[in-house]
Amino acid sequence: MVDLPPVPAPEDPEAALAAVVALRRLAARLETEAVTEAVEQGWTWAQIGEALGISAQAAHKKLAAEVRARRGR
Amino acid sequence: MGLMTAIRDIRTIKRLLTGAETEARAAGEAVPGPEHLLLSAAELPDGTAGRALAAVDTDVAALRAAVTAVHDDALTGLGLDAGPAPALAAPATGPLRTSPQAQQVFQRAVELSRSATPAGLRGAHVVAAAAELERGTAARALRRLGIERDQVLAAARVEGGVPA
């Protein structure tokens, strides 16, 4: 049994939707960090796309510039 | 609209949108929302947005911190502590994309500027347009600062020379 974190009460949709917004931002951040690490480890864009459930082209288009900038720091 | 006003508006729009993009990317977001337009407006050189915010006892730094806090609070409510979001590292390229709500705020600000005296788009029109939004991050940030949207709206209309 997994202990889920406390979620905003369903009778407060505004708080629940604010949580969705914050989680979306967090997911985007996690995706960028994880893909940057995968590229560091030599993953191809095809492998990254496969792991994310999107095409290699979509993964590259979405994240390549940011990954390149982070690796070039 | 006079030619000089039109030229000034183009400069204002460029500054406003570029500033909103910078605010969003500094917060790790690729697509600016109303909160980023609001922050960008507050730093426009016409000074009207800054004065409207000062009239409700706040400023751009407090507002920026409140926007961050809104997201942090939402994650804390889920038992998550993610720490500060890093800025995007890549330079912005291609045409600027904004959220539908940011587009709505921009269009409404332009509409308000048409009834303004003197003529021309100013930061206060963006503040007024953003304050009209009842929901979303910008509205929550204002609420977090203890500011009523109506107060901001009234102050921004005065500063922007928009009839009530």
Side-chain angles (χ1 to χ4, degrees):
Chain A
M1 186 74 176
V2 177
D3 279 336
L4 288 171
V7 292
E11 64 271 20
D12 185 0
E14 199 191 350
L17 292 169
V20 171
V21 171
L23 283 170
R24 259 193 217 135
R25 294 176 82 250
L26 183 60
R29 177 177 160 187
L30 184 60
E31 182 179 57
T32 305
E33 288 173 6
V35 171
T36 303
E37 184 57 35
V39 171
E40 287 284 346
Q41 292 184 20
W43 286 43
T44 65
W45 285 102
Q47 290 169 325
I48 290 166
E50 192 178 322
L52 288 173
I54 58 177
S55 71
Q57 291 81 0
H60 186 271
K61 185 178 176 192
K62 185 177 178 187
L63 294 157
E66 182 63 21
V67 168
R68 201 179 310 122
R70 288 183 183 214
R71 295 184 74 209
R73 274 175 178 173
Chain B
M1 188 197 303
L3 181 62
M4 291 310 291
T5 305
I7 292 171
R8 200 163 49 237
D9 276 7
I10 291 168
R11 286 196 188 125
T12 302
I13 290 167
K14 185 166 186 286
R15 276 202 185 104
L16 175 69
L17 296 181
T18 305
E21 187 173 44
T22 303
E23 289 285 351
R25 296 183 73 82
E29 294 180 58
V31 180
E35 63 275 22
H36 305 117
L37 276 180
L38 184 57
L39 293 170
S40 175
E43 304 217 276
L44 285 176
D46 66 66
T48 57
R51 287 198 293 277
L53 294 177
V56 293
D57 292 327
T58 193
D59 58 24
V60 67
L63 201 51
R64 196 179 285 122
V67 167
T68 303
V70 161
H71 298 309
D72 289 349
D73 289 351
L75 290 179
T76 304
L78 297 171
L80 297 168
D81 177 13
L88 295 184
T93 54
L96 172 67
R97 289 180 303 133
T98 56
S99 75
Q101 290 71 31
Q103 287 168 32
Q104 181 189 326
V105 166
F106 175 73
Q107 284 162 10
R108 177 67 177 141
V110 171
E111 192 181 316
L112 288 171
S113 76
R114 292 199 180 119
S115 62
T117 309
L121 178 66
R122 293 184 292 286
H125 303 138
V126 180
V127 174
E132 287 181 359
L133 292 179
E134 292 178 38
R135 284 168 282 273
T137 303
R140 291 180 78 85
L142 289 172
R143 206 179 312 146
R144 199 179 192 285
L145 290 168
I147 300 168
E148 296 287 335
R149 287 188 308 106
D150 286 351
Q151 293 176 290
V152 186
L153 197 49
R157 279 178 171 270
V158 169
E159 282 298 333
V162 178

